[in-house]
């Protein structure tokens, strides 16, 4: 078992699930995967992010890459930025997520953000020395789905298992999931202004 700590979410993860195509020469048992994360607040997401954007996922590329946890598959997704709420990422930004498919081998990481091609999302992004990643993994990714002409937020497809947070703050997902995109942007702006107002 590996213990992996992101800046905002403590995740305990077994190796990513390995799946193989029926025509693959690879044999052997498949690996299971699980992730446990501590729920993060909206304030933690905003203050821990280099960028917060509304963007549409365009092309993506999966590849093998050496990581602190060993060699694994990662996916780079190009986001076409529609609106920047925090920071200045430019009109496009490449985001790295764990997992993907290379040839006949794929890896899936429970709790990681899943960014479907062609879909709009609200994303909280953190710039590391080597890549831009989703802040707090799946907790920093919200799909923008239109219901009766109104854009609303839905969670990332697989957030893994989340432990309840302690303290007075409520989780970001409780604030954002089901909210209209416009309401979510107002809430983020309020968090951005709050530190200045407390000074």
């Amino acid at each position: 078992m590996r213990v992996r700590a992101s800046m905002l979410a403590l995740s305990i993860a077994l190796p990513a699930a390995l799946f193989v195509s029926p025509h693959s020469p690879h044999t052997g048992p498949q690996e299971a995967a699980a992730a446990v994360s501590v729920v993060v607040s909206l304030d933690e997401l905003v203050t821990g992010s280099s960028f917060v954007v509304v963007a549409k996922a365009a092309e993506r590329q999966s590849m093998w890459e050496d990581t602190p946890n060993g060699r694994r598959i990662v996916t780079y997704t190009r986001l076409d930025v529609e609106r920047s709420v925090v920071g200045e990422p430019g009109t496009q930004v490449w985001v790295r997520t764990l997992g993907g498919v290379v040839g006949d081998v794929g890896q899936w990481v429970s709790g990681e953000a899943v960014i479907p091609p062609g879909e709009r999302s609200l994303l909280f992004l953190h710039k590391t020395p080597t890549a831009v990643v989703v802040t707090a993994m799946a907790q920093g990714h919200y799909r923008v789905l239109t219901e009766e002409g109104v854009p609303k937020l839905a969670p990332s497809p697989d957030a893994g298992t989340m432990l309840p947070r302690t303290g007075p703050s409520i989780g970001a997902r409780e604030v954002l999931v089901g909210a209209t995109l416009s309401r979510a942007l107002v809430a983020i702006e309020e968090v951005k202004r709050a530190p200045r107002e407390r000074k």
Side-chain angles (χ1 to χ4, degrees):
M1 180 176 287
R2 290 197 296 267
V3 179
R4 175 183 54 197
S6 71
M7 182 171 57
L8 298 176
L10 174 64
S11 298
I12 303 172
L14 294 171
L18 174 65
F19 57 91
V20 184
S21 80
H23 308 293
S24 171
H26 302 286
T27 59
Q30 296 183 347
E31 297 180 64
V36 179
S37 300
V38 177
V39 171
V40 298
S41 69
L42 182 59
D43 184 78
E44 289 169 325
L45 275 182
V46 173
T47 58
S49 296
S50 309
F51 313 117
V52 179
V53 299
V54 178
K56 185 174 182 179
E59 65 179 302
R60 63 179 178 176
Q61 302 170 4
S62 295
M63 63 191 71
W64 287 99
E65 191 170 279
D66 292 322
T67 74
N69 292 323
R71 189 164 175 78
R72 66 190 311 160
I73 295 175
V74 300
T75 296
Y76 286 88
T77 302
R78 193 191 84 221
L79 301 177
D80 292 335
V81 177
E82 175 186 309
R83 176 173 179 175
S84 179
V85 189
V86 173
E88 298 180 11
T91 58
Q92 296 181 339
V93 60
W94 284 89
V95 175
R96 185 183 67 195
T97 51
L98 301 176
V101 179
V102 176
D104 289 334
V105 180
Q107 292 181 340
W108 167 73
V109 178
S110 179
E112 177 62 287
V114 177
I115 309 172
E119 191 169 272
R120 293 174 73 212
S121 299
L122 171 67
L123 296 113
F124 297 81
L125 305 174
H126 175 67
K127 191 173 182 181
T128 74
T130 57
V132 176
V133 300
V134 181
T135 308
M137 301 174 74
Q139 293 187 70
H141 170 239
Y142 297 86
R143 302 163 68 201
V144 179
L145 305 179
T146 301
E147 296 181 9
E148 299 180 353
V150 179
K152 292 187 176 181
L153 300 185
S156 199
D158 177 15
T161 301
M162 292 191 292
L163 301 177
R165 60 181 292 106
T166 57
S169 300
I170 63 172
R173 287 166 62 93
E174 293 179 63
V175 176
L176 298 176
V177 172
T180 63
L181 178 59
S182 59
R183 178 64 193 105
L185 297 180
V186 168
I188 293 166
E189 291 289 352
E190 289 172 351
V191 171
K192 283 172 55 180
R193 287 193 300 268
R196 290 191 294 272
E197 291 171 357
R198 286 195 291 265
K199 288 181 181 178

